[in-house]
Amino acid sequence: MIDQRNDIDIDIDGGIPMTRPLTVVTGGSRGIGAATCLRLAADGHDVVVGYVRDGSAAGEVVAGVREAGGRAVAVRADTSVEADVDRLFDLAEERLGPVTGLVNNAAVTGPLGRLADSDTADLRRVLDVNLLGTLLCARRAARLMTARGGGAIVNVSSGAATLGSPGEYVHYAATKAAVDTLTLGLAKELGPDGVRVNAVAPGVVDTGMHAAMGDPGRAGRMGPAVPLGRAGRAEEIAAAIAWLLSPDASYTTGTVLRVAGGR
């Protein structure tokens, strides 16, 4: 559990009416998560920016949401810890109102390499964040949304779920395949309650995640092998997430939307 003495919560009220959609975005301080927060704000959402380490980056995203016309709060939370997840949603509702959407984006890969060479602690962390964390957040959102008769969840999966990612991170790929299955099953489970559940499966996207896994040049190196000839941009993934949360996707549930440049 995160030490709350070091917690940084940033609450910005832009004077926007409380009738706007309110979406929780985990891993919202960087990469796809940050781009999603900004895109949702531009589309009329208020946003909860979940983050685990970089409070400064989370604050910048909050400021960007305000500039786009929304309200925001940044909440430090490790999504693999149940108490942190509960606090994330409790603060969202206390400060901004009823949660109408969730973007399950928080994820880790661990170092690149063969499974045979991997460390057990790295495997456990990937499982805890990518799968358990997604389950915990989806469970809390489901409880809130079913009670109100509506809402939308978007899980961020990966093209790795169907490619397997041999020699790089088969453990990460396995967790994302589980996220796809979760998406399908939970969509069927929550459909009668008016809650839609979908996923976006990005391909190679130019974000800081590659540096975090030990290969900062990976996106540029792999881009030419993608049918569209380049790595994706975080904003392109955010656009797909925003569509799945929007009324335009009102008849879409149980779908894993691949946004991978044809790969």
Side-chain angles (χ1 to χ4, degrees), residues 44-252:
H45 292 239
D46 294 328
V47 181
V48 178
V49 182
Y51 75 99
V52 74
R53 282 187 299 272
D54 194 341
S56 176
E60 291 177 5
V61 175
V62 167
V65 170
R66 184 182 187 186
E67 289 174 6
R71 299 179 308 143
V73 57
V75 180
R76 189 179 183 195
D78 182 337
T79 56
S80 71
V81 178
E82 182 177 5
D84 283 14
V85 170
D86 285 339
R87 180 174 178 275
L88 173 64
F89 282 86
D90 287 345
L91 284 175
E93 299 234 325
E94 174 187 322
R95 298 189 182 190
L96 296 180
V99 171
T100 61
L102 165 66
V103 179
N104 261 322
N105 172 67
V108 296
T109 63
L112 285 171
R114 294 169 58 86
L115 180 63
D117 300 325
S118 61
D119 184 82
T120 301
D122 290 332
L123 297 179
R124 192 178 303 279
R125 181 61 179 165
V126 170
L127 285 165
D128 283 350
V129 175
N130 298 5
L131 183 52
L132 179 61
T134 298
L135 286 165
L136 290 174
C137 290
R139 183 181 69 178
R140 182 62 194 274
R143 289 171 175 170
L144 294 171
M145 293 174 185
T146 55
R148 296 167 182 151
I153 298 171
V154 177
N155 300 318
V156 179
S157 179
S158 171
T162 57
L163 296 173
S165 297
E168 292 188 322
Y169 41 48
V170 297
H171 52 298
Y172 170 83
T175 63
K176 292 303 187 177
V179 168
D180 288 354
T181 301
L182 164 66
T183 299
L184 177 61
L186 194 59
K188 293 177 178 179
E189 186 169 290
L190 299 183
D193 298 305
V195 179
R196 297 185 299 105
V197 184
N198 293 288
V200 169
V204 180
V205 181
D206 191 5
T207 70
M209 178 173 278
H210 302 285
M213 69 176 77
D215 189 358
R218 183 171 178 269
R221 188 176 65 254
M222 295 185 67
V226 174
L228 286 184
R230 62 173 177 84
R233 299 187 299 272
E235 292 78 11
E236 293 172 310
I237 312 304
I241 293 170
W243 179 76
L244 287 171
L245 287 171
S246 77
D248 288 343
S250 59
Y251 199 57
T252 304

Side-chain angles (χ1 to χ4, degrees), residues 25-53:
V25 181
T26 67
S29 65
R30 59 188 176 87
I32 291 170
T36 298
C37 291
L38 298 178
R39 172 58 188 259
L40 291 176
D43 286 355
H45 292 239
D46 294 328
V47 181
V48 178
V49 182
Y51 75 99
V52 74
R53 282 187 299 272

